[in-house]
Every structure is written in structure tokens, then in C-alpha cells.
Amino acid sequence: MNNFLRTRRVRWIAGISLVMVMTLGLYSFNDDKRNFEVVKNLDIFYTLFREVNSYYVDETNPEKLITEGINNMLESLDPYTTYIPESDMEDFRFMTTGEYAGIGSLISKRGEHVVIAEPYENFPAAEAGLKAGDKILEIDGKNMVGKNTPDVSDMLKGSANTSLKIKVERPGEKKPINIELERKKISINPVPYYGMVNDETGIIQLNNFTQDCSREIEKAFLDLRDKQGAKSIVLDLRANPGGLLDEAVKIVNLFVPSGSEVVSTRGKVKQWDKTYKAMRQPIDTVMPLAVLISRGSASASEIVSGALQDLDRAVVLGQRSFGKGLVQTTRNLSYNAKLKVTTAKYYIPSGRCIQALDYTHRDEDGAVGLVADSLISEYKTLNGRSVFDGGGISPDIKIKSPKYANVTFALVVQSMIFDYATEFVLKNKTIAAPEDFVIAEGDYNEFIEFVKAKEDFRYESLSQEKLKELVKTAKREGYYEKAEEDFTAMEEILKLDVEKDMRQFEDEIKELMVMEIAKRYYYQKGAIKASLQNDIELEEAKKLLKDMGQYDGLLDGTVASHAGDRPSRDKKS
């Protein structure tokens, strides 16, 4: 019997050993096969490029061909894995630090000219007297007419403390103006505005997550709380596209106890997986906090709003966020280039990942679908509230996003409001404070006539767009001929009347005019102050922060919220 058991044990051990050898061999085989595929395809790519470069009928640009090949390859993975050549490193540094050397101005293309769209307060452009609407004719004697925005931008940027001369054409001036100025280190504050919105509530706006933005948030919060008497705070992350992960962690740490988990990252390289916790003592864990998000709030914005929601530290208001739960790491390449590559997904404290699009499983046509319903899971916040993964951050209080009429959209896109503001400034040396400034009826009538006089102003109403689609469908199905007179009559009824539409949507058009004109006199802060006067989402946040019963109820789950709504799965990107 002992011999029998010994024999079985030997056979069992031998069997396990054989399985292990076969498994290890399989892994080795798979690795070797994958390495062979990599080498083989790199060789094919090299020989293909060599043949094209040698024998293509026209002269080729090797750098352009290779860059395009790289970009198309990375695009097949996801939109965030990108190649950064040495020539683009300055822009990359600006994205991560918010700093560059230049004149401190936003520029845009208008016809044959690049114009000054917005000089930033306290920077060289504004201090030298450049104004919004100035058309750039020359930079250091070089003609800029017909140049694209990136070309002009490159000329304006340069080493700090170097001088340049700009010739501009200014509306209202008969002759071009020559302006000499000196480039400076430009550091854009990621917190463009903070202040009190009523006797007890302050607001802090954060535009992006650049280096040290958490310090700016901390400074703003302490000033509002300790010097301006704020009893509650609104953190505005609307349209914030994200940025540095570490800064998002630091911002959450300002409001949650030390040791709290904020976010974790998990990817292919397990050694890189990491859990980020609040490492320092917070500055405030009790003050009521509301976070505003929108469809454009992504990445680091979702870490902050999602972590504060999961930890039941803040009430989130607005629209469902973008749903970018992918982490990028920058890797160095040859010749000072870099690769920004997606290396992991991030998971907020409840355990959920808020990535909305599934780039791994594309349709046959290459379309990217949303995460399937079957893969959506329910999670719990610290207080036991239900939340879901797979589709961005769902706010506790949903607020419908305001939609502008087609005529309003056209007035912005075709720079009608911008151009009118330029003329308005010529006639008005001063205006009221941003929070008090309104568009007088006479000025609005003048704006209508200004737009009507522009022969190239074109737009379609939503009704016209829908009618065009209906006509196409009716023609395809053979019904159009039978009702042609009715369709023609409807087209006549819907014929555009610019003045009529501008009267119908006067309120929203005036709001945008106020913001643009306020910016001309009070810079970006003035435009923000003006915009807050009719901010529906801010009003909801203020109302919530006055009702502590609803606020506490949303956080402890006794008042129903929208955060536990399952993501909708009816769209593709």
C-alpha cells in the first residue's frame, strides 16, 4: 500500500512538473512569437519607407511621412496617446506648467489677418497698449498678412527679456501703429477668479490642473474663509479638461482627512500601479462644499469631483462629466522627442473607474463604443450611497445645460459680437463695474443694425435644418412631388429674419455681449464677474448651500440624488 501511495505521489509531482514546464514553455513561446512579430513588422516598415523614399515619383518629406505614420498608428489606440516632437516641446511644457515666454495674449485668425483676441492683464501685450481687435501686420519687420495663427504665435514667443516690434492696424486709427515690447515669462494662473457670490458663499474657478494649481486653490480658499467670511464654497470645475494627477490628489487632500484614499492607478506594468492617499493635514474638512461640473469636465476634474463625491465630502452639481479615466505617462524618445502614452486606468475611492469609451473593442468601422451595459457595476460611497462606473461622474443634482440658439452661435463663431465690442470701445471710454454692466436698449438696437449690414453673415435656424432633412427623406421615399407646394410654403414661413431672431433670443445674446465688452475694460476677471450674474448652475449651488437639510441629506443618502443613475448607453463617438 505504501509503495502504491509513493508511486501515486511521484506520478502526481511529475505531472505537476510537466504542466509547469509546458506552461513556462508556452509563455516563453508566446513572448518569442510576440518579439518576432515586433521585429518582423518594424523591418517591413523600414523597407517600405526606404522604397517609397527612393522611388516615389515626387520628392518626399521623410520627417513628415514618418510623423504622419506615427500619429495614425497612435490614433488607432486612443486620442490621448500622442507623439511629441522636439518642435512641440514648448507647447507641451505650457500644457503642464502653464508657463511660456512671450507677450501674454490670445490671438486668432480673421480673414487674412491674425488679430489680438485678448491681451492678458499685467503682461507685456496689455502693458504695451495692444488691444483686442488689433490686426497684426508685421513682427520685427516681417510681413504677417496671410500667415496662420501658429506661424504668428511662433514669432511672438521667444526667450524671456528679448524685445520685438509689432506693427498693427487698429480700428478707428487711420495709420498703422508700431509697438515695441519685451517678452516676459508668462505664467497663466489656473485660478482665473475667486470671490464672494453672496454674504456667505465664495466661488473658486479652476481652469486646468497645471503645476502648483493646488497652492492657488489653497490660497483662494483661505482668503475666502479667513478674510472674506465665507461659510461655504463652490468649486467650479466646469469645462476643465484636467491635467496633472498629483495636483488633483493635492486638491482633494485640502478637504479630506489625512490617510484618505483619493485615487489608484492600475495598468499593464504592475510595478507602476499606485494608490494615492491624502498625505498632509487638510485645511478644512467641515465647510459645506459644492462642486460644479459639465460635459467638458474631464480627467483630473473627474478625480477631484469623483473622489469628493465618493468620500461624501461635497455635493456635485451640473451635467455628467466627460468620462476620461485613462492615465498618461510621458516617456523620453530619441532626439529630444517624447511619447505621451496611456499606461493605466484610474479608480476613485469607491473602486469605480469612470472611463466612458471602450477603445479596446472597436466596431468593424473603427467606431468607439461606450462601455457595455453588462460591464457597468454598482459601487458605494463612504456613507453607502449608490454610484456607478463606466460613464463619467454623475452629479448629485442634475442641471440641464443651457443651449444657445443657432443665431446666437453664429454671432459668436462669425465674430459679430467681437467686432461690435471693438467698435463699442471706440465710442465708450468707460463702463459700469462688470457685475452692474448691462447692454442698453439703444446699444442693442445698434448691434442689430451692425449685424444686418454685414452681407457675409449667414446662419440657419434649427427648424430650417430639420426641414432640409425632411425634404431629403421625402425625395428619397417619393413623397416630395406630392407635397412640393406645402414644402415650398414651409420654406417661405421659415425664411430667416435676422432682426426677428435677434429679438427672440435677445437675453442670451446680451449675456454674451456683456461678457465680451466687460473683458475689454476689466480683462478676464471682468468677463467672469459678468458671467456669474446670470449663472443658472451657480444659483442652484447657492440655493443648496443655504439649505443644510438638503445638503446633509444628499451626503448621507436620506435625500435622493442623481449620482446613482446608471449611465445612458445610446450613443457612440
Side-chain angles (χ1 to χ4, degrees), residues 397-413:
I397 297 177
K398 284 186 179 178
I399 304 170
K400 193 173 182 180
S401 178
K403 291 186 178 179
Y404 290 114
N406 282 26
V407 64
T408 309
F409 185 76
L411 289 170
V412 174
V413 171

Side-chain angles (χ1 to χ4, degrees), residues 255-299:
F255 307 109
V256 301
S258 178
S260 301
E261 181 177 328
V262 176
V263 65
S264 61
T265 60
R266 302 173 217 159
K268 184 177 182 180
V269 182
K270 297 305 176 186
Q271 299 94 309
W272 290 359
D273 288 357
K274 188 174 181 181
T275 297
Y276 295 82
K277 294 185 177 182
M279 301 300 291
R280 54 165 281 191
Q281 289 301 314
I283 57 174
D284 196 303
T285 61
V286 296
M287 181 181 285
L289 185 64
V291 181
L292 296 180
I293 61 172
S294 68
R295 187 60 187 157
S297 304
S299 189

Side-chain angles (χ1 to χ4, degrees), residues 4 8 31 48 53 70 82 150 186-187 196 267 355 365 375 380 398 406 412 421 424 457 504 508 512:
F4 173 74
R8 286 194 63 182
D31 285 345
L48 181 148
N53 191 52
I70 291 171
T82 56
I186 309 298
S187 180
M196 298 295 290
Q355 176 63 23
D365 63 356
L375 299 178
K380 297 294 183 181
K398 284 186 179 178
N406 282 26
V412 174
F424 182 93
F457 179 65
Q504 183 176 349
E508 65 185 40
L512 296 175

Side-chain angles (χ1 to χ4, degrees), residues 40-55:
K40 182 185 81 172
N41 284 286
L42 283 174
D43 190 43
I44 291 172
F45 183 84
Y46 166 71
T47 53
L48 181 148
F49 176 76
R50 184 186 62 197
E51 297 301 306
V52 167
N53 191 52
S54 299
Y55 299 114

Side-chain angles (χ1 to χ4, degrees), residues 405 407-408 444 501-510:
V407 64
T408 309
Y444 193 69
D501 287 347
M502 289 182 68
R503 293 291 181 194
Q504 183 176 349
F505 301 104
E506 181 174 336
D507 289 344
E508 65 185 40
I509 294 171
K510 279 185 173 180

Side-chain angles (χ1 to χ4, degrees), residues 100 114 117 204 210 282 294 324 361 392 404 427 450 492 558:
Y100 69 98
V114 171
I204 304 172
T210 51
S294 68
K324 180 183 178 291
H361 303 97
Y404 290 114
K427 300 173 185 176
F450 175 86
E492 190 63 29
T558 56

Side-chain angles (χ1 to χ4, degrees), residues 227-350:
K227 296 182 180 179
Q228 300 191 45
K231 301 293 189 295
S232 58
I233 291 291
V234 177
L235 178 60
D236 190 352
L237 300 179
R238 288 175 293 182
N240 185 321
L244 299 177
L245 173 64
D246 287 345
E247 291 298 321
V249 175
K250 290 176 182 177
I251 289 173
V252 174
N253 193 168
L254 296 174
F255 307 109
V256 301
S258 178
S260 301
E261 181 177 328
V262 176
V263 65
S264 61
T265 60
R266 302 173 217 159
K268 184 177 182 180
V269 182
K270 297 305 176 186
Q271 299 94 309
W272 290 359
D273 288 357
K274 188 174 181 181
T275 297
Y276 295 82
K277 294 185 177 182
M279 301 300 291
R280 54 165 281 191
Q281 289 301 314
I283 57 174
D284 196 303
T285 61
V286 296
M287 181 181 285
L289 185 64
V291 181
L292 296 180
I293 61 172
S294 68
R295 187 60 187 157
S297 304
S299 189
S301 292
E302 295 172 299
I303 293 175
V304 171
S305 56
L308 292 174
Q309 186 181 63
D310 280 357
L311 297 171
D312 297 304
R313 176 62 185 90
V315 173
V316 181
L317 304 90
Q319 302 87 45
R320 185 181 292 276
S321 62
F322 184 81
K324 180 183 178 291
L326 303 177
V327 180
Q328 283 71 49
T329 302
T330 304
R331 306 289 295 170
N332 293 326
L333 302 177
S334 305
Y335 298 98
N336 298 318
K338 291 184 183 293
L339 169 67
K340 184 157 69 77
V341 57
T342 298
T343 54
K345 293 181 179 180
Y346 65 72
Y347 298 80
I348 48 182
S350 63

